[in-house]
Amino acid sequence: MGSMAHDTLEALYKLARQGKILTQEEMLEKYKSLWDSNLPKNLNIVRKEMIAEDYFKLGGKCLTDYYSRFSPFDQEITIGLERRVSIVLDEDGQFKMTGFIDRLTRDSAGRLRIQDYKTGGSLPTQPEIDADEQLALYQIAVEEMWPDNQGIELVWHYMQFDTTLISHRDAEQLNRLKEDYIERIKRIESAVELGSFPTNETNLCDWCEYNKICPAKGGPGAAFDNDQLELRPASEEELAALVDEYVELDGKKKGLESRLKEVRKILIACAEGGTGTRHKGSGENAVLVTLEESKKLPTRTAGQSAVKDIAALVENEGLYRQYSLLDINSLQKALDEGLLPRDLTEELRARQQVSSRETVRIKKAR
Ligand code: SF4
């Protein structure tokens, strides 16, 4: 539904730029034809209480509300639709990301506005929008493309709520974001290298950006499949040599990880708070250490009572369902132990997915 609404607005603005303003009916016809030609045959709807038609109507309502508010679509000049941008995070261009801006415009004051359409069912608060990273990353790219801009605004249209939210970011916030993303990229790359990429398989994996490198989806570190059988050693001696190599590499990895932790600790101890301390190496390399404090709500590792206390507060406001997540591990345990009602047990068993797990532990030979 989200993609069809996006594609409809893209078509609408493309034509508007050429001087042709679609009527509301023409826009809805476009939406219907996109819907009919793109609806997959084996549609899997995650929310069981909804059918495809419900989503179609919801998308139609989002578009109608949007049309009423913005027609005749001449408030700003559209510079780009589904514009691909390259976000360069470091000076050497070693860390880059790609993004697509739903709509990029210039308003009468000359400001560039990075606009995003959201069709989801929850409306964020202003502080949440001010902490959102997606459009801020796009801002990094847009500033690079038009350094002499008259200001940049981040704009979200929450279409189910017929609401527009706006946020602004300054240079310091963008620099912090760049450093944070460089760190994240490094963490992901090192998790892939160490074969410890964390997974949490759900129905939503098909939409996940990482599914090409995720071991749960056949990426590096995934279980051997039949195509990889030729990797099997030819003899017992070769297998024994592989075991020795594995034990040796594992020992080296542990040694390296523990030294890495120690060095990291020392570098942090030598740093000061604020925007960051750059420790220079003997050659071209340096490390940037940033010490920041932020306030976060306690998680379960801080103790059950702290979490329960927060849950009670949220429940009192009638907001518990909105912010709570199903504890799937406890539910699985109850299912395995036969603690659930029969009907529910059957329904849950029908939805279970086969998963496999490989463990390799080093033991003494017998
Ligand atoms: S594909 Fe992998 S990384 Fe993505 S959500 Fe699923 S388990 Fe997580």
Side-chain angles (χ1 to χ4, degrees):
M1 185 268 278
S3 340
M4 295 313 109
H6 276 78
D7 290 354
T8 307
L9 289 176
E10 187 186 349
L12 179 95
Y13 277 112
K14 212 176 250 175
L15 287 167
R17 202 161 49 179
Q18 293 157 9
K20 160 86 181 154
I21 309 297
L22 293 182
T23 63
Q24 188 171 301
E25 290 67 35
E26 285 170 332
M27 175 195 69
L28 290 175
E29 271 167 34
K30 176 77 192 161
Y31 171 59
K32 179 156 182 7
S33 85
L34 283 167
W35 184 274
D36 290 341
S37 50
N38 285 293
L39 197 70
K41 287 205 173 60
N42 305 319
L43 189 65
N44 177 17
I45 298 182
V46 178
R47 287 176 56 193
K48 295 295 167 208
E49 70 278 16
M50 296 285 277
I51 59 169
E53 184 66 18
D54 297 327
Y55 281 107
F56 174 71
K57 283 187 191 151
L58 186 57
K61 183 180 176 308
C62 288
L63 287 166
T64 310
D65 288 346
Y66 186 90
Y67 192 99
S68 307
R69 202 141 67 93
F70 292 105
S71 117
F73 311 107
D74 58 357
Q75 297 84 0
E76 295 158 53
I77 296 169
T78 299
I79 301 171
L81 292 165
E82 289 297 322
R83 172 92 186 217
R84 184 193 176 107
V85 289
S86 176
I87 304 145
V88 184
L89 298 172
D90 61 326
E91 280 170 16
D92 304 336
Q94 197 192 342
F95 296 96
K96 288 188 202 160
M97 297 167 71
T98 296
F100 290 87
I101 300 177
D102 287 347
R103 187 167 165 249
L104 180 64
T105 60
R106 198 180 63 234
D107 67 11
S108 53
R111 274 177 313 194
L112 297 174
R113 303 183 89 219
I114 298 169
Q115 313 215 19
D116 201 56
Y117 308 114
K118 298 283 186 211
T119 50
S122 78
L123 180 69
T125 59
Q126 187 63 41
E128 283 168 338
I129 273 296
D130 288 337
D132 184 282
E133 295 167 349
Q134 181 194 358
L135 297 205
L137 286 166
Y138 296 167
Q139 179 170 345
I140 294 170
V142 170
E143 293 211 335
E144 194 76 33
M145 289 154 83
W146 288 284
D148 294 330
N149 63 73
Q150 305 296 305
I152 295 182
E153 251 180 6
L154 311 181
V155 183
W156 291 259
H157 300 285
Y158 278 84
M159 297 172 73
Q160 275 199 43
F161 303 89
D162 199 12
T163 297
T164 296
L165 296 172
I166 294 176
S167 176
H168 300 97
R169 303 302 152 85
D170 60 27
E172 198 188 324
Q173 287 171 311
L174 295 182
N175 282 339
R176 243 186 285 135
L177 190 65
K178 284 182 195 171
E179 278 160 15
D180 186 26
Y181 267 76
I182 291 173
E183 274 307 309
R184 287 193 212 183
I185 292 172
K186 285 183 182 166
R187 277 213 305 278
I188 293 167
E189 284 178 343
S190 102
V192 172
E193 270 165 32
L194 295 172
S196 59
F197 190 92
T199 64
N200 177 21
E201 264 190 283
T202 69
N203 282 342
L204 302 175
C205 288
D206 288 346
W207 286 275
C208 170
E209 302 278 338
Y210 296 99
N211 61 22
K212 288 197 181 61
I213 57 166
C214 173
K217 294 281 154 194
F224 277 173
D225 59 27
N226 288 336
D227 295 341
Q228 291 170 304
L229 283 180
E230 74 260 24
L231 292 178
R232 288 182 174 205
S235 63
E236 283 198 5
E237 287 73 31
E238 276 184 34
L239 181 60
L242 278 176
V243 171
D244 294 342
E245 188 184 348
Y246 185 86
V247 175
E248 190 189 332
L249 289 173
D250 188 71
K252 278 188 189 159
K253 184 181 112 182
K254 283 190 183 126
L256 281 173
E257 278 172 352
S258 108
R259 179 65 186 146
L260 192 67
K261 267 190 202 157
E262 261 173 42
V263 175
R264 189 173 187 277
K265 229 181 195 173
I266 299 167
L267 291 174
I268 291 172
C270 301
E272 286 154 20
T275 50
T277 306
R278 196 176 289 269
H279 296 305
K280 265 180 76 68
S282 55
E284 287 179 346
N285 296 326
V287 291
L288 181 70
V289 183
T290 37
L291 309 175
E292 280 176 303
E293 276 192 359
S294 63
K295 290 198 167 177
K296 291 253 162 62
L297 291 170
T299 57
R300 284 187 200 283
T301 45
Q304 285 294 342
S305 66
V307 177
K308 272 191 186 150
D309 175 44
I310 288 170
L313 284 173
V314 178
E315 209 162 12
N316 271 348
E317 288 297 320
L319 292 171
Y320 190 76
R321 272 178 72 93
Q322 196 176 335
Y323 294 104
S324 71
L325 273 181
L326 182 62
D327 182 351
I328 213 81
N329 289 333
S330 303
L331 187 66
Q332 179 71 59
K333 193 162 174 271
L335 181 66
D336 293 342
E337 291 173 1
L339 300 177
L340 300 173
R342 217 172 71 195
D343 287 357
L344 179 61
T345 299
E346 279 170 16
E347 291 286 349
L348 291 175
R349 290 225 165 107
R351 285 167 176 75
Q352 278 185 312
Q353 296 171 347
V354 179
S355 72
S356 58
R357 198 165 79 117
E358 293 78 30
T359 53
V360 181
R361 291 203 191 92
I362 295 170
K363 300 265 182 202
K364 284 270 163 263
R366 286 194 197 148

